[in-house]
């Protein structure tokens, strides 16, 4: 342990193991050694976070991974034997119907006729026969891999068969079977009685959901060579999933109901990974991906008469480059030379670790830099214990009173984003200027500049040139007018979009949906500890017989980790999709979802997720490429060994894990943007050191969202934090959009002053409830409904009476009329 902890660069006595402390004055006693377990942890953590040089990650963010990878993630490695079972079920039936021919040799009419015979087999009462037919249809959706020679052929026939199955009504038939399985109380009670649930408990559900997922994913993905009838088929399928046709609710709501039923403990056998993947792809298909969302945003701004967007955010982020910090060893040598010259207290700021990402606890920082070190020690205790910390009283840190000294930092010539200014920023600027120069204000008047000096005129002109009015601003203003003048403005015309229909269907159970998703996310997070009360998300990955050899145990361990990663990926992607689409559809729909996510402790949950060695998570190799679909269906499987499982694949990073991290950071940004009470939660939970460690990942998009989260809380972290993190401040300046008059770097903004944060959330909640009540609660006897004052017409109305009333009419007369004395004198009191 002496060697691990005493790696001091200068020839000095070895300090205590674990943390390397600054030199102590000679009269003070030596520091006490840390406990051995903590000692080892800190030395390993310092090595892993301080000396690992992360290369640039060639990652392109998108709606989803490649088509083959998305299909492969549907299956766990434990399900591999079922692929041959599906093939056997198909071939037994196919060879009985079609003699001596293969599926690929049939023409279109013959293929349709055979599929129709299969669909007739789904109507039988016998459960086992029905399952065999469903497995045969699943084999078709999987691409009849027994007749194919390579992976490309399997994927081609999988798409071809998916379109064929949809055209013949397979999806509707499977939807009916899925409803039957969800309501199957016998399967639920059987699963509840079992001490351990395995794959065998969810066989029927997994087959049904796999067919539906393959159809949705294959039809959703567009390719240039698609024939015109496939494009028509795709639009029809999208409309069918978006709008309630056969039922009174969209298909996504059925999947949300499955999620809540699983989390409530009433259906522990539901294959939750497959349900979440299908739910994500249904939302992606019906609502649209990120590029479709950008196009809808441009179109909506045109309809509202707003100026076009200053840039395409997707293209800007794709062209950004990740920050490349200097070499760690060179920096150490420079710091050693400074110490030898005795200039420790005047070390230039440019010599600090770039982005503060290589060495969270720099042994060569001066004594003032100890603030960040202390924060780092308390991170685990701030988040790890329980996720209901927000119930405690909010801790408002003392705001700094003075600006830090201005330092010389070199900035790039061009910045990636055009600056934006809100109407509120112009009003605040003019209010401060009028108070200073003329001694009174004019409220929200931004046109009158009489009495103000010429430079203020130029400043206001510049601010107005960069003024940005968002769609949300227009929606909030319209909502205020509708609340103020409900009679004169009349009823609002609401466009029936897929997003609007989904929100209306989700509205009354939306808190339960959000809590259920976050429960599963917590159970799947790598930092979560196993608890007896946590839900079991491994029901669709654990085999009936547990492994007995080391190799089988390693394979199952990889499968379980991969299973959890896929769950995190699907939940993070579908939550981000919901937030972005609801925000575009109406700001108060977005705020309703956001508020329930915050109430369900989404913010500390995401911070808990990032409170790990994030580089290890992103470069994790929890996959066995030879067992991935469709490779395992057409290639001979090599003999697996412990060495080959440990080696994993040759990929630089895990796409799904980096995708999940970026999605979670974007969700955190959505929840906290312009919300000072939620920003204070980031401060209270000590998120700064956690986020700084995430900057180690050299991927431009991920760094951008980390820097955004650091920027919004910089004003609350105090002068000392800003002083010791100037490289992070510089990176924020270079990569994050500038808001003119946003004094984020110094903390002198009026928004940084403490106030009753609870009032902010209460006001927002009142606005959301007023919006939901006005638009979605429309009772028949409204106070604005006309009243019939004519006695004859009121008495002449026909009332629908229940059937049992006719049988008990005489009893009703006796009880309510004859047995009740009439007190005529009471009428006198009302005159």
């Amino acid at each position: 342990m002496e060697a691990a902890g005493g790696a001091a660069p200068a020839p000095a006595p070895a300090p205590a193991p674990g943390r390397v402390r600054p030199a102590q004055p000679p009269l003070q006693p030596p520091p006490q050694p840390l406990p051995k377990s903590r000692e080892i942890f800190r030395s390993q953590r310092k090595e892993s976070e301080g000396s690992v040089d992360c290369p640039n990650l060639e990652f392109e963010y998108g709606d989803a991974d490649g088509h083959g990878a998305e299909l492969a993630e549907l299956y766990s490695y434990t399900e591999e034997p079922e692929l041959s079972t599906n093939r056997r079920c198909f071939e037994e039936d196919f060879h009985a119907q079609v003699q001596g021919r293969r599926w690929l040799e049939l023409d279109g009419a013959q293929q349709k006729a055979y599929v129709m015979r299969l669909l007739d087999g789904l109507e039988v009462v016998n459960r086992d026969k029905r399952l065999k037919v469903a497995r045969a249809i699943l084999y078709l959706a999987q691409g009849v891999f027994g007749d194919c020679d390579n992976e490309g052929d399997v994927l081609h026939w999988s798409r071809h068969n998916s379109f064929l199955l949809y055209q013949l009504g397979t999806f509707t038939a499977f939807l009916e079977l899925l409803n039957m399985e969800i309501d199957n109380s016998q399967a639920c009670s059987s699963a509840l009685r079992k001490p351990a649930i395995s794959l065998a408990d969810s066989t029927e559900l997994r087959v049904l959901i796999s067919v539906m997922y393959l159809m949705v994913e294959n039809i959703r993905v567009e390719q240039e060579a698609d024939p015109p009838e496939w494009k028509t088929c795709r639009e029809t399928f999208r409309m069918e999933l978006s709008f309630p046709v056969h039922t009174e609710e969209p298909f996504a709501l059925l999947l949300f109901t499955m999620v809540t039923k699983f989390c409530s403990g009433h259906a522990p056998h539901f294959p939750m990974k497959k349900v979440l993947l299908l739910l994500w792809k249904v939302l992606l298909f019906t609502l649209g991906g990120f590029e479709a969302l950008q196009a809808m945003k441009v179109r909506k701004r045109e309809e509202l008469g707003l100026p076009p967007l200053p840039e395409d955010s997707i293209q800007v982020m794709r062209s950004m480059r990740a920050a490349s910090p200097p070499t760690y060893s060179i920096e150490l040598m420079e710091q050693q030379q400074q110490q030898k010259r005795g200039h420790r207290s005047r070390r230039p700021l440019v010599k600090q670790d770039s982005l503060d990402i290589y060495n969270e606890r720099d042994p060569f920082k001066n004594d003032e830099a100890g603030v960040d070190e202390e924060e780092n020690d308390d991170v685990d205790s701030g988040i790890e214990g329980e996720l209901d910390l927000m119930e405690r009283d909010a801790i408002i840190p003392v705001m700094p009173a003075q600006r830090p000294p201005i330092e010389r930092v070199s900035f790039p010539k061009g910045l990636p984003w055009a600056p934006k200014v809100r109407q509120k920023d112009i009003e605040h600027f003019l209010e401060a200027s009028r108070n200073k120069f003329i001694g009174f204000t004019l409220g929200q008047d931004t046109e009158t500049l009489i009495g103000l000096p010429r430079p203020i005129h130029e400043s206001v002109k510049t601010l107005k040139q960069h003024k940005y009015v968002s769609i949300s601003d227009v929606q909030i203003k319209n909502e205020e007018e509708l609340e103020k003048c409900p009679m004169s403005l009349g009823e609002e015309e609401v466009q029936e979009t897929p997003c609007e229909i989904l929100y209306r269907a989700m509205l009354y159970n939306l808190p339960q949906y959000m809590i259920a998703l976050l429960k599963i996310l917590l159970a799947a997070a790598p930092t979560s500890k196993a608890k007896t009360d946590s839900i079991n998300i491994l029901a669709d990955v654990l085999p009936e017989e547990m492994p007995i050899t080391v190799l089988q145990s390693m394979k199952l361990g990889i499968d379980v980790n991969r299973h959890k990663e896929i769950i995190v990926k699907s939940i993070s992607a579908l939550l981000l999709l919901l937030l972005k689409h609801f925000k575009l559809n109406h700001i108060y729909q977005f705020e309703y979802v956001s508020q329930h996510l915050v109430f369900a402790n989404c913010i500390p949950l995401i911070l808990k997720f990032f409170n790990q060695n994030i580089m290890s998570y992103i470069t994790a190799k929890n996959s066995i490429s030879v067992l991935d679909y469709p490779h395992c269906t057409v290639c001979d499987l090599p003999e697996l060994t412990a060495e080959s499982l440990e080696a994993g694949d040759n990929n630089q990073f895990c796409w799904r894990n980096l995708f999940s991290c970026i999605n979670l950071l974007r969700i955190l940004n959505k929840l906290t943007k312009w919300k000072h009470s939620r920003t204070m939660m980031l401060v209270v939970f000590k998120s700064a050191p956690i986020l700084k460690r995430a900057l180690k990942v050299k991927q431009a998009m991920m760094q951008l969202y980390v820097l955004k989260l650091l920027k919004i809380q910089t004003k609350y972290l105090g002068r000392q934090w800003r002083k010791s993190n100037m490289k992070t401040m510089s990176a924020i300046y270079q990569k994050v959009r500038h808001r003119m008059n946003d004094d984020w770097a110094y903390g002198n903004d009026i928004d940084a002053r403490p106030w009753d944060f609870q009032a902010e959330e209460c006001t927002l909640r009142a606005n959301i409830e007023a919006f939901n009540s006005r638009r979605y609660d429309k009772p028949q006897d409204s106070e604005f409904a006309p009243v019939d004052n004519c006695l004859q017409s009121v008495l002449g109305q026909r009332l629908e009476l229940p059937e049992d009333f006719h049988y008990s009419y005489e009893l009703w007369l006796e009880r309510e009329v004859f047995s009740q004395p009439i007190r005529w004198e009471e009428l006198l009191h009302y005159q």
Side-chain angles (χ1 to χ4, degrees), residues 751-764:
D751 288 338
R753 298 172 189 170
W755 67 76
D756 186 6
F757 289 126
Q758 195 172 3
E760 183 185 32
E761 290 288 348
C762 290
T763 304
L764 178 61

Side-chain angles (χ1 to χ4, degrees), residues 477-486 489-490 492 774:
K477 188 176 180 181
N478 291 342
E479 196 62 29
E480 290 174 353
E481 292 176 356
L482 284 168
E483 284 291 323
K484 193 183 298 183
C485 312
L489 293 178
E492 178 189 16
R774 181 190 60 77

Side-chain angles (χ1 to χ4, degrees), residues 554-727:
M554 290 181 64
K555 179 182 171 185
L556 181 60
I558 291 173
D559 205 2
V560 166
N561 290 336
R562 174 177 177 266
H563 181 83
K564 290 181 177 181
E565 291 172 359
I566 295 169
I567 287 177
V568 172
K569 169 188 172 183
S570 55
I571 292 179
S572 65
L574 73 89
L575 280 178
L576 182 62
L577 269 179
L578 285 176
L579 288 173
K580 289 187 73 67
H581 277 280
F582 284 153
K583 186 173 184 180
L584 181 62
N585 197 54
H586 199 287
I587 182 61
Y588 284 139
Q589 294 177 352
F590 162 80
E591 296 290 4
Y592 188 54
V593 177
S594 299
Q595 201 162 58
H596 281 292
L597 285 173
V598 172
F599 291 162
N601 294 323
C602 185
I603 291 176
L605 172 55
I606 295 177
L607 293 177
K608 180 184 174 71
F609 179 89
F610 279 96
N611 192 26
Q612 59 171 314
N613 189 339
I614 205 68
M615 273 306 303
S616 297
Y617 183 73
I618 285 174
T619 57
K621 299 184 182 299
N622 291 315
S623 60
I624 309 170
S625 55
V626 294
L627 296 181
D628 283 338
Y629 170 89
H631 184 274
C632 65
T633 60
V634 292
C635 300
D636 295 330
L637 299 182
E639 183 180 356
L640 294 176
T641 62
E643 290 76 15
S644 63
L645 292 182
E646 283 183 356
D649 51 29
N650 297 322
N651 293 332
Q652 186 188 20
F653 58 90
C654 178
W655 196 95
R656 65 173 165 266
N657 288 356
L658 187 49
F659 178 71
S660 302
C661 289
I662 293 175
N663 287 341
L664 290 173
L665 288 169
R666 295 184 73 180
I667 292 168
L668 201 54
N669 269 286
K670 291 278 181 195
L671 297 181
T672 54
K673 188 175 181 181
W674 304 120
K675 303 289 189 304
H676 303 289
S677 56
R678 300 174 191 175
T679 304
M680 285 307 304
M681 290 179 68
L682 294 178
V683 179
V684 170
F685 291 132
K686 296 183 172 62
S687 65
I690 297 174
L691 294 170
K692 279 170 55 185
R693 284 202 300 273
L695 284 173
K696 284 176 58 181
V697 182
K698 286 173 64 176
Q699 203 282 326
M701 192 171 184
M702 183 166 172
Q703 286 185 349
L704 171 66
Y705 287 108
V706 172
L707 292 171
K708 280 186 174 185
L709 288 167
L710 287 171
K711 177 185 176 182
I712 62 174
Q713 56 179 316
T714 303
K715 64 180 75 169
Y716 302 103
L717 294 175
R719 176 175 177 271
Q720 184 59 52
W721 187 92
R722 296 192 292 270
K723 180 180 176 183
S724 56
N725 291 278
M726 282 305 294
K727 280 292 179 179

Side-chain angles (χ1 to χ4, degrees), residues 61 84 220 260 336 381 477 671 694:
Y61 185 83
S84 56
R220 179 188 72 84
T260 53
Q336 286 178 6
S381 61
K477 188 176 180 181
L671 297 181

Side-chain angles (χ1 to χ4, degrees), residues 293 296 300 471 475 492 494-504 578-590 771 775-776:
L293 193 70
M296 288 192 293
K300 194 156 190 174
I471 296 172
Q475 291 170 340
E492 178 189 16
V494 182
Q495 192 175 359
E496 290 292 298
T497 61
C499 188
E500 179 67 29
I501 290 171
L502 178 65
Y503 181 80
R504 190 188 305 130
L578 285 176
L579 288 173
K580 289 187 73 67
H581 277 280
F582 284 153
K583 186 173 184 180
L584 181 62
N585 197 54
H586 199 287
I587 182 61
Y588 284 139
Q589 294 177 352
F590 162 80
F771 163 76
R775 184 180 278 198
Y776 303 108

Side-chain angles (χ1 to χ4, degrees), residues 349 403-409 719 726 746:
L349 289 173
R403 289 173 179 258
I406 299 174
E407 303 290 343
R408 289 185 174 274
V409 184
R719 176 175 177 271
M726 282 305 294
Y746 300 106

